[in-house]
Amino acid sequence: MSKPIIAVPADTRFFQNTTWHAAQQQYIGAALDVAGAMSFIIPALGDAQDIDAMLDRVDGVMITGSRSNVSPALYGKTPEERDGPFDPGRDATTLPMIRRAIERGLPLLCICRGIQELNVALGGTLVSEVQELDGRIDHRQPPEGDRDALFVIRQPVHIGEGSCLAGILGAGEVQVNSLHRQAISDVAPGLAVEAIAPDGTVEAVSVIDAKNFAVGVQWHPEYWARTDDTSRKLFEAFGEAVRASQAARTAP
Ligand SMILES: N[C@@H](CCC(=O)NCCCC(=O)O)C(=O)O
C-alpha cells in the first residue's frame, strides 16, 4: 500500500511579480519523514474549490504555521493594519476545511497559525500581540539567528492529565519552541485546552469527542520532528491516525 496522503493548505505568497500558493518544506518534509504521509498542497482559493471533493482523496489534514495572521474580522473584531500581515485566501480555505475534516472524522494536526485557525473555525477568538498582555511572556521568535535559532526549543509547557496529548507525550512539562504573537483568547466551544505555558497562554487544544485525532499546538513540532522526542512522538501519532484513516478509506 502506498503512503497515505494529507491535505496541506497553502499560503498565498507574492514574489517574482506574481501570486504563488506555497507550503514550507519543514512541514511537508516532517510529514513525509516522520508521519510517513505524502502531501497534497491545497491552493488558497477558498470556496472556488470543492473542499469535500479534495477531502475525499486524502487521509488527513495538516494546517501549517505562517507569518500571516488570521483576520480579526473572522472572530468579530475590526482588522487593523497592526494585526497583519493577512492571508484572506488561506483563511477562506483553512476554516471550512478544518470544520469539514472534523465533521468527516479525518485526522487533523494544526500547527501554530493552525491552532489559531482551529479555534476561530469553531467559534473562538484570538488576541494579537500576546506579549503586550499583563503577565504574559514574549512568545515571539528570537530576535536574531539562523532558522535553527529561531525555532530553538526553549519554553516549557504543561500538558494536562488525561488529555489527548498526555496519551502521546505524557502529562506534565515538556519543552517546545515558540514563534507567535497571536494566541487563543476565548477558547472555542468544542475545544479542550490540552497544554498551557507558565504565563497561562494556551499552547495546545483538542476537539472534544472528536471522531479521530484532532489536535492543535501553538509550537512547531515539525521543525525538530526527526531529533526531538516530543516533536517526533506527535508526528508519529498523527501518522498512525492517517494510516488508519487510509485503511478505512481504501477498505474493499
Ligand atoms: N502569525 C501567527 C502564527 C505564527 C506562526 O505560525 N509562526 C510560524 C512562522 C514562522 C516562520 O515560518 O517563519 C502569529 O504570529 O501568532
Side-chain angles (χ1 to χ4, degrees):
M1 180 178 284
S2 66
K3 287 184 170 66
I5 297 172
I6 59 175
V8 180
D11 286 3
T12 310
R13 290 295 170 102
F14 191 82
F15 55 94
Q16 293 178 346
N17 291 321
T18 191
T19 299
W20 298 65
H21 295 257
Q24 292 181 54
Q25 161 70 26
Q26 66 194 57
Y27 300 96
I28 56 182
L32 187 60
D33 294 348
V34 185
M38 301 182 286
S39 294
F40 279 167
I41 297 173
I42 305 296
L45 294 176
D47 60 11
Q49 301 171 129
D50 182 339
I51 287 180
D52 270 307
M54 291 177 158
L55 294 181
D56 286 344
R57 289 158 174 80
V58 299
D59 307 301
V61 177
M62 178 172 68
I63 311 292
T64 70
S66 173
R67 285 180 181 243
S68 67
N69 291 328
V70 180
S71 173
L74 295 167
Y75 49 94
K77 294 186 178 177
T78 303
E80 299 177 28
E81 188 172 347
R82 75 188 298 254
D83 296 326
F86 299 120
D87 188 345
R90 168 162 170 158
D91 291 341
T93 304
T94 55
L95 269 56
M97 182 169 282
I98 287 168
R99 289 189 283 262
R100 282 300 292 143
I102 293 169
E103 289 162 2
R104 295 173 58 137
L106 276 173
L108 174 66
L109 176 60
C110 300
I111 296 169
C112 202
R113 192 193 202 266
I115 188 178
Q116 297 164 5
E117 289 162 299
L118 171 61
N119 192 54
V120 172
L122 300 188
T125 64
L126 306 178
V127 62
S128 291
E129 310 309 338
V130 63
Q131 68 279 354
E132 295 177 2
L133 298 182
D134 287 346
R136 299 295 180 98
I137 62 175
D138 194 341
H139 291 260
R140 292 173 296 184
Q141 65 187 42
E144 57 191 15
D146 64 12
R147 198 144 178 93
D148 285 359
L150 300 186
F151 283 83
V152 68
I153 289 177
R154 60 189 175 96
Q155 175 194 300
V157 299
H158 184 89
I159 295 172
E161 290 282 349
S163 63
C164 174
L165 274 186
I168 300 167
L169 303 174
E173 184 176 292
V174 295
Q175 293 287 324
V176 300
N177 45 26
S178 184
L179 298 92
H180 63 103
R181 44 189 267 252
Q182 292 197 317
I184 288 177
S185 180
D186 297 322
V187 179
L191 287 183
V193 174
E194 294 256 323
I196 58 171
D199 67 356
T201 299
V202 175
E203 289 284 345
V205 297
S206 65
V207 175
I208 297 171
D209 298 333
K211 300 173 186 173
N212 210 316
F213 181 102
V215 169
V217 293
Q218 188 61 74
W219 66 87
H220 286 268
E222 83 289 347
Y223 197 83
W224 301 108
R226 297 164 188 82
T227 55
D228 169 66
D229 268 356
T230 298
S231 305
R232 176 179 48 75
K233 287 175 181 174
L234 189 55
F235 262 77
E236 288 177 342
F238 179 53
E240 286 174 26
V242 168
R243 278 186 292 283
S245 174
Q246 177 192 39
R249 179 172 64 89
T250 58

